[in-house]
Amino acid sequence: MAVRALLHYALEVPDQSIGEKFYRAFGLEEISSRGDAVRLRPPSLVRETVMLYPGRRKRLHHLAFGAPGDEMEAVKASLAKAGVREMDAPAGAPEGGIWVRDPDGNAVNVRAEGRELPPADRPLTLNSPGHIARVAERGCPEGLSARPRRLGHVLLFTPDPDRQIDFYTRALGMRLSDRSRSIVAFLRCTTDHHNLALLASKGPGFHHASFEVGSIDEIAVGAQRMLDVGCEPGWGVGRHVIGSNFFYYARDPWGSFAEYFHDLDFIPEHCAWEPRDFPEEDALYRWGPPLPDYFGHNTELD
Ligand SMILES: [Fe+2]
């Protein structure tokens, strides 16, 4: 009885054309404009997954989750039970669904829609010790570029992770997948290990959004491309501990990030997944370049 999809995220940004350029280089495509917002999507999808509204500074405009079929009524009931009042949609926001604020004041739209999944890739053919998947065929990819397939998750800064966890699990029905102490928590509403993550900070903020790509090769060529087009260095390539995915974080024009991910933990709905509380020193990454000091910086508080 819950939300079942992270549909899109919307940011306010001081210069929409700079934002559009960044996300195009990252591999998204623009959908013809409607209203105030620039709307972008992975090339194989129909619906927007990123919206950029004009604003004074970069900040989250809203998050949209999907509650298809009977889930919508169930979500309304659990919001009412949790004492969360519906509010009017922000100006210029997409029509439809219901609007609430989470305890940090972030606008949240719950829409009667399910996930939009991209067409499946051909299986990867990787040779490994004792397991040959590619025979008499060259494996080095030709003409490769990073092609985001879908939005996977968003990570928000929060001054109170436990209060946010309580809201997103109790009122919206998400589940806790893993956490590290009171520093970071990972919640899911699909078979992805996480669709929303919460990182402790002195105030709210948007840290990153993450898009699935088809291979670690795609992550690496995407990382190089973002540097080639003039982005500041981000972080990666590396492998996370929590969620297990390979990653590269491209630094966006406002000091937050867009992540490429591949090979994330998959958690079927009816399975005995036990959330773990990881020690701080072994929560972030198994290998990769040293963590840059700007990675955990909440530029919205500057
Ligand atoms: Fe991420």
Side-chain angles (χ1 to χ4, degrees):
M1 301 302 97
V3 293
R4 297 285 180 184
L6 171 65
L7 298 173
H8 68 252
Y9 65 99
L11 303 177
E12 284 176 31
V13 296
D15 186 331
Q16 288 166 292
S17 64
I18 287 176
E20 184 197 321
K21 221 172 115 198
F22 170 80
Y23 278 111
R24 275 180 183 273
F26 184 77
L28 302 186
E29 66 176 24
E30 198 190 341
I31 312 176
S32 59
S33 314
R34 192 176 60 200
D36 273 354
V38 169
R39 301 182 301 140
L40 300 120
R41 66 183 170 200
S44 56
L45 297 185
V46 172
R47 298 197 301 234
E48 69 269 3
T49 52
V50 183
M51 301 178 78
L52 303 174
Y53 286 86
R56 202 172 59 78
R57 303 186 59 187
K58 185 272 297 181
R59 63 188 285 271
L60 187 73
H61 184 275
H62 70 267
L63 282 184
F65 292 93
D70 295 344
E71 303 290 359
M72 191 67 180
E73 287 310 311
V75 167
K76 282 183 186 170
S78 62
L79 284 167
K81 197 170 158 209
V84 180
R85 277 209 310 266
E86 288 182 34
M87 63 169 202
D88 293 337
E95 283 176 16
I98 58 169
W99 289 84
V100 294
R101 283 199 190 281
D102 73 16
D104 283 359
N106 299 308
V108 174
N109 181 209
V110 182
R111 311 175 63 78
E113 295 172 20
R115 297 172 83 183
E116 186 189 3
L117 287 173
D121 279 29
R122 287 194 9 225
L124 292 173
T125 51
L126 300 172
N127 293 338
S128 58
H131 302 278
I132 301 304
R134 197 183 66 254
V135 178
E137 192 190 333
R138 292 185 174 86
C140 182
E142 300 281 344
L144 187 70
S145 59
R147 194 162 57 81
R149 309 298 201 278
R150 64 184 181 90
L151 171 65
H153 61 265
V154 166
L155 189 151
L156 301 179
F157 289 114
T158 173
D160 192 339
D162 286 321
R163 191 176 62 174
Q164 288 286 77
I165 293 168
D166 180 66
F167 172 82
Y168 283 98
T169 55
R170 208 156 49 88
L172 292 188
M174 298 184 80
R175 294 188 194 177
L176 180 69
S177 293
D178 284 311
R179 68 185 298 164
S180 176
R181 310 300 188 232
S182 301
I183 304 162
V184 65
F186 297 83
L187 309 176
R188 69 183 186 278
C189 59
T190 70
T191 48
D192 285 340
H193 176 275
H194 52 282
N195 304 104
L196 177 68
L198 302 159
L199 179 61
S201 175
K202 287 202 164 62
F206 168 83
H207 182 273
H208 77 264
S210 191
F211 294 81
E212 187 175 31
V213 294
S215 63
I216 190 165
D217 292 306
E218 276 190 49
I219 294 183
V221 298
Q224 188 58 50
R225 170 165 168 78
M226 297 313 280
L227 296 172
D228 290 346
V229 300
C231 292
E232 298 286 320
W235 184 42
V237 176
R239 183 146 204 170
H240 277 308
V241 174
I242 303 181
S244 308
N245 56 293
F246 297 104
F247 63 82
Y248 178 79
Y249 292 86
R251 205 165 172 190
D252 72 22
W254 321 287
S256 38
F257 301 89
E259 179 188 16
Y260 296 117
F261 80 84
H262 180 71
D263 196 19
L264 183 76
D265 292 339
F266 177 95
I267 308 176
E269 187 176 352
H270 300 290
C271 106
W273 178 273
E274 283 296 323
R276 256 180 74 184
D277 188 354
F278 286 78
E280 190 181 345
E281 61 280 8
D282 185 37
L284 194 53
Y285 68 123
R286 180 64 68 235
W287 58 261
L291 183 69
D293 55 3
Y294 51 75
F295 187 74
H297 183 66
N298 186 353
T299 55
E300 293 177 39
L301 303 179
D302 292 345

